[in-house]
Amino acid sequence: MDKPFSEKIKKPALPVIAALGVVFGDIGTSPLYAFRECFGGAGSAPVSPENLSGAASLIVWSLVFVISLKYLIFILRLDHHGEGGILALATLVESKVEKSHTAARFILLGIAGSALIYADGMLTPAISVLGAVEGLAVSAPAVEHWIVPLTVVILLGLFAVQAKGTGTVGRFFGPVIGLWFASLAVLGVRGILMDPSVLAGLSPHAGITFLIREWQHGLPVLGAVFLAVTGGEALYADLGHFGARPIRLAWFIVVFPALVLNYLGQAALLSVAPAALKNPFYLLAPDALRFPLTLLATAAAVIASQALISGAFSLTSQAVQLGCLPRIRIRHTSAKQQGQVFVPGVNGALGVACVLVVLGFRSSGNLAGAYGIAIALTMAITSVLFFSAARRVWGWPLGKALAVSAAFLVVDLAFLVANSTKILQGGWLPIGVAVFMMIMMTTWLWGRRRTRLREQEEETDMEAFLGQVQRGEIQRVEGLAVYLNGFADTIPGALLHNLKHNHVLHECVVMLHVEMLNRPRVFGHELGFAHEESGAGIHQVTLRFGFLDEPDIPAAMERFLPEELGFEPRAASYFLGRETYGVPPREGWPGRLRWRFFNLMSRNASSAVDYFNLPTNRVVELGARMSCDEE
C-alpha cells in the first residue's frame, strides 16, 4: 500500500507547503469576489462603516465556525482508511450499518454529494479564472474588452495540459500559493492601516447586529458571505493526499490569518473610498503593483482550478470502482503516485462546460449568482452524514451527536436558504447538472441490480458443470484461459457461450471475479486475493481492489496465482462477455426510458480491456442479448 503523500516527504515543512497549493487554492481565491458581492450584488446592503465591519465579521466567523471548527476539528477526524471526501464518508457510515435498506440511504446521500461536486467542478474554474483576469479592468483598462476571450484561452490551455498529469508542476503549486497568501496578508494590513476601526469586525457582535439592522438584505448578504467558505469540501476531499496535521497547520498558521487580514483590509478600503467597490481587492494594491498582482491572481486561480479538476477525476475513479458509474477510460499519469489520474471524458466535458459558462455569464459578479448553492447542499449533506458517523463510528450518545450536528446544520441551512434565492440568477445551472449526474448514477446502480437478478435466474448449476468437465464430456485444448465473471461462484456467461459455439475448453480455466471494496486500497494485501481449485483444471479466483487501486488484472494474477499454474500475462487468453438488455414488455414508460438510458450507458462504457489493463491481442469478446423481466 502506498503511503500518503505527506509521509513520503522527509522534511516536515514540505507537506504544509504542498497542502497550501492543492488544498487551499479554492478558498484562497475567494477574496477576489466574495467581499465585493456583499455590497455589489443584487439585493446587497448599503455601504457604511458599520455595515462594512459587520460583513467582515460575518466572513471571519463563518471561516471560524465552518472551516476551523466543523471541518478541521471534527470532519477531518472521519477518514475512511485514510481517505476523505463525501463519498468516503458515506461508505464509512454505510460500513457500520447492518440493514441493507438503511445502508443504501447513506450511499444515496454520498451519490447526491458527489453529483453536486461535479457541478462545483464546472463553476469553480470559471469564476476563479474570470475573477482573476478581471484585474485587467483596474490595472490595464485599455484591454478590458479582452477579459472574456483571455479567460477562455486560459481555461482551454488548462484543460489541454491535463493529459500531462499534475506531477511535473505540482512542486510549484505550494510556493506560488504561499506567495499569494503572503500578498493577501500584506494587502490586508495596508488596508487596515487606512481605517483601523474595522478591527471591530473581529467581534461576532458586529456581524449579528449587522444582520439585525439590515434584515431585509440578510439573505443576499449571507449568500455572498458563503462564497468565502466554498473550499471546505475540497479541503476534506484532499485528506488522503496529505493527512490531517499538515492541512490543519497550513490553515491556522498561513491561510486563516491571511484571509482575515485581507477581508478586513477590503472593508477598511471601502470605508474610506466607497468608489473602490468596483474591485476592492485589486484597488488595495498600489498602482504599480496591480498588473503583477493580476498575474499572480491568475496563477493562483489556475492552481485552484487544477485542484478541483483533479478532484473530479479522482471522484470519477472512485465512483466507477464503487459501481456508481459505468466503466470509463481512466489513465494513470504517475508511476509513483497512484492517485494521479486523468479521465479524458470528464476533462472534455468540464472544459466545454467551463467555456460555455464564461461565455454565458461574462463576469464573476454574474457568475456568483450560480455559484454556491451546489456547495451549500453538499455541506448540508456532510452534516447529516456527520450525525450518523458520530453515533456509529465514534459511539457518541444521542444528545451530544444531535447537539453538534444541529449546530452545523443550522448554519448550513442558513447558507442554503440564502443561496436558494439565487436560483433564478443562475443557481438552476449547477442544480440541473447535479440532478443529471444523480439520475445517471442511480440508474446505473438500479440497472446493475436488475440485471443481476435476471442473471441469477439463468445461472447454470456449478456442480453439474464441474461434473461434466470431470467426466471428460468436454474436449480440452492446451493453454490457460481467464474468463471474467461479474459475480462470484457462478459460471461466466462468456464461458457458456464459448462452449456453445466452439465446444472446447482450455486445460487450465480461471473463472475470475473482480470485486471492488468500499475502502481506498487493498492491492498488495492477502485480503485482495482468494483462490479455490475446483478440480479438472478449473480455478475460481477473486481479486479485490479498493476504490483508489488501479485494477491491473494481469499484474495482480501474476503476483498472486500459484506458480504451478504457469500463468504468463501475455500468453493467457482472456474471455469477456458483453451483454445488452431488452426492455421488459410490461414496463411502464418511466421504466422503459430508464432501461434505454441504462443500455446507452452500458454500450458506451469503456472496454474492460483498457480498464483492467488486459493485453489487447489476447482478448476474445463474446456478445449476448438478454431480456430483463419485471421484478
Side-chain angles (χ1 to χ4, degrees):
M1 180 183 297
D2 286 350
K3 294 181 179 180
F5 180 66
S6 60
E7 294 182 15
K8 299 178 181 180
I9 301 176
K10 303 299 183 181
K11 297 181 181 180
L14 291 183
V16 176
I17 296 173
L20 281 177
V22 177
V23 178
F24 297 108
D26 184 8
I27 200 169
T29 53
S30 295
L32 288 167
Y33 46 80
F35 195 83
R36 180 191 67 202
E37 291 303 309
C38 292
F39 299 95
S44 55
V47 175
S48 70
E50 296 81 7
N51 288 353
L52 291 167
S53 295
S57 174
L58 289 175
I59 290 177
V60 169
W61 286 96
S62 294
L63 292 171
V64 170
F65 187 83
V66 176
I67 305 300
S68 300
L69 182 63
K70 176 183 174 180
Y71 279 96
L72 293 186
I73 303 301
F74 286 99
I75 300 294
L76 283 193
R77 294 169 54 198
L78 289 168
D79 66 283
H80 187 38
H81 300 286
E83 294 297 325
I86 195 167
L87 197 56
L89 178 58
T91 54
L92 172 64
V93 176
E94 181 263 346
S95 67
K96 304 295 181 180
V97 177
E98 296 181 357
K99 296 181 180 180
S100 59
H101 65 278
T102 304
R105 294 172 186 169
F106 292 118
I107 292 298
L108 187 61
L109 286 173
I111 288 174
S114 302
L116 290 162
I117 290 174
Y118 279 112
D120 182 31
M122 179 183 69
L123 296 178
T124 295
I127 193 172
S128 298
V129 176
L130 188 54
V133 178
E134 283 174 345
L136 291 174
V138 176
S139 59
V143 296
E144 184 175 358
H145 60 285
W146 285 101
I147 288 176
V148 171
L150 186 56
T151 300
V152 170
V153 170
I154 292 173
L155 287 172
L156 289 175
L158 174 63
F159 284 98
V161 301
Q162 292 302 311
K164 303 294 183 181
T166 58
T168 56
V169 296
R171 69 175 67 96
F172 301 112
F173 283 10
V176 171
I177 292 293
L179 179 60
W180 170 252
F181 282 116
S183 301
L184 292 183
V186 171
L187 291 174
V189 171
R190 183 173 188 268
I192 292 171
L193 292 176
M194 298 178 188
D195 184 7
S197 66
V198 296
L199 293 175
L202 293 175
S203 167
H205 180 264
I208 295 171
T209 55
F210 171 48
L211 286 179
I212 294 173
R213 183 175 59 253
E214 301 289 346
W215 60 269
Q216 68 272 34
H217 304 292
L219 290 180
V221 168
L222 283 179
V225 167
F226 183 72
L227 296 174
V229 297
T230 51
E233 281 297 324
L235 179 152
Y236 181 36
D238 285 316
L239 174 63
H241 294 284
F242 302 100
R245 187 170 181 269
I247 293 175
R248 290 190 179 112
L249 287 174
W251 171 256
F252 287 111
I253 295 175
V254 179
V255 181
F256 180 62
L259 290 175
V260 170
L261 288 171
N262 194 267
Y263 285 121
L264 290 172
Q266 291 190 47
L269 172 65
L270 291 177
S271 70
V272 298
L277 184 60
K278 177 184 178 182
N279 205 319
F281 174 79
Y282 283 107
L283 291 172
L284 269 177
D287 293 344
L289 296 180
R290 286 172 188 166
F291 185 72
L293 183 62
T294 301
L295 297 179
L296 179 59
T298 303
V302 168
I303 291 171
S305 303
Q306 174 64 62
L308 207 83
I309 294 167
S310 301
F313 294 161
S314 298
L315 181 63
T316 301
S317 178
Q318 293 180 29
V320 171
Q321 300 283 61
L322 291 171
C324 299
L325 284 174
R327 287 192 305 267
I328 187 171
R329 185 184 175 200
I330 298 173
R331 286 175 46 194
H332 291 257
T333 59
S334 172
K336 297 180 179 179
Q337 188 152 349
Q338 197 167 13
Q340 290 187 11
V341 295
F342 169 64
V343 186
V346 173
N347 185 66
L350 281 180
V352 171
C354 284
V355 170
L356 291 177
V357 164
V358 170
L359 293 176
F361 288 88
R362 304 193 68 82
S363 76
S364 60
N366 293 336
L367 194 50
Y371 192 56
I373 189 168
I375 310 170
L377 274 167
T378 308
M379 288 185 172
I381 292 172
T382 299
S383 294
V384 173
L385 290 171
F386 171 80
F387 170 77
S388 299
R391 294 277 290 150
R392 291 180 166 88
V393 179
W394 293 341
W396 279 13
L398 176 61
K400 181 180 179 181
L402 190 61
V404 176
S405 302
F408 293 157
L409 201 54
V410 164
V411 175
D412 292 333
L413 291 178
F415 283 133
L416 179 59
V417 170
N419 279 281
S420 67
T421 63
K422 301 190 292 186
I423 290 179
L424 296 180
Q425 303 170 30
W428 55 268
L429 179 61
I431 295 299
V433 172
V435 168
F436 175 77
M437 291 302 304
M438 275 201 69
I439 291 173
M440 179 181 288
M441 288 191 274
T442 54
T443 297
W444 185 253
L445 287 170
W446 170 84
R448 291 299 297 161
R449 180 174 59 86
R450 293 283 296 269
T451 55
R452 170 57 176 156
L453 292 174
R454 181 59 179 167
E455 289 175 8
Q456 283 179 329
E457 295 175 2
E458 296 186 353
E459 284 175 4
T460 301
D461 181 68
M462 178 68 76
E463 292 185 3
F465 168 74
L466 292 175
Q468 190 179 10
V469 174
Q470 291 168 349
R471 289 192 298 270
E473 298 176 7
I474 301 175
Q475 184 177 350
R476 310 297 288 270
V477 295
E478 292 184 357
L480 185 150
V482 179
Y483 289 87
L484 267 70
N485 196 7
F487 308 99
D489 301 321
T490 63
I491 301 175
L495 189 153
L496 296 176
H497 286 295
N498 186 47
L499 282 177
K500 179 180 178 180
H501 293 285
N502 298 319
H503 311 290
V504 295
L505 200 66
H506 286 75
E507 285 182 340
C508 184
V509 174
V510 175
M511 294 187 288
L512 175 64
H513 171 60
V514 177
E515 183 179 355
M516 300 299 178
L517 302 183
N518 290 348
R519 56 188 300 173
R521 294 185 175 88
V522 177
F523 183 71
H525 291 253
E526 293 182 0
L527 176 63
F529 176 77
H531 173 225
E532 179 183 346
E533 185 173 359
S534 302
I538 307 296
H539 302 263
Q540 297 185 61
V541 173
T542 297
L543 290 177
R544 302 183 182 92
F545 297 95
F547 56 76
L548 291 182
D549 285 326
E550 180 179 356
D552 188 329
I553 283 178
M557 293 183 66
E558 188 174 29
R559 176 170 182 169
F560 288 114
L561 280 180
E563 292 184 5
E564 55 266 24
L565 293 185
F567 173 76
E568 295 182 11
R570 297 196 172 275
S573 297
Y574 302 86
F575 288 82
L576 311 178
R578 180 177 282 269
E579 296 84 11
T580 57
Y581 301 92
V583 178
R586 292 177 292 173
E587 192 79 65
W589 70 265
R592 298 178 73 86
L593 286 176
R594 207 171 190 189
W595 271 118
R596 289 191 175 95
F597 189 34
F598 173 75
N599 267 321
L600 179 65
M601 288 191 288
S602 182
R603 287 195 301 269
N604 288 279
S606 176
S607 170
V609 177
D610 295 328
Y611 186 75
F612 292 120
N613 201 30
L614 303 177
T616 54
N617 61 340
R618 302 297 303 175
V619 173
V620 179
E621 194 165 8
L622 301 171
R625 181 175 177 82
M626 301 179 63
S627 62
C628 292
D629 296 332
E630 293 180 295
E631 292 178 276

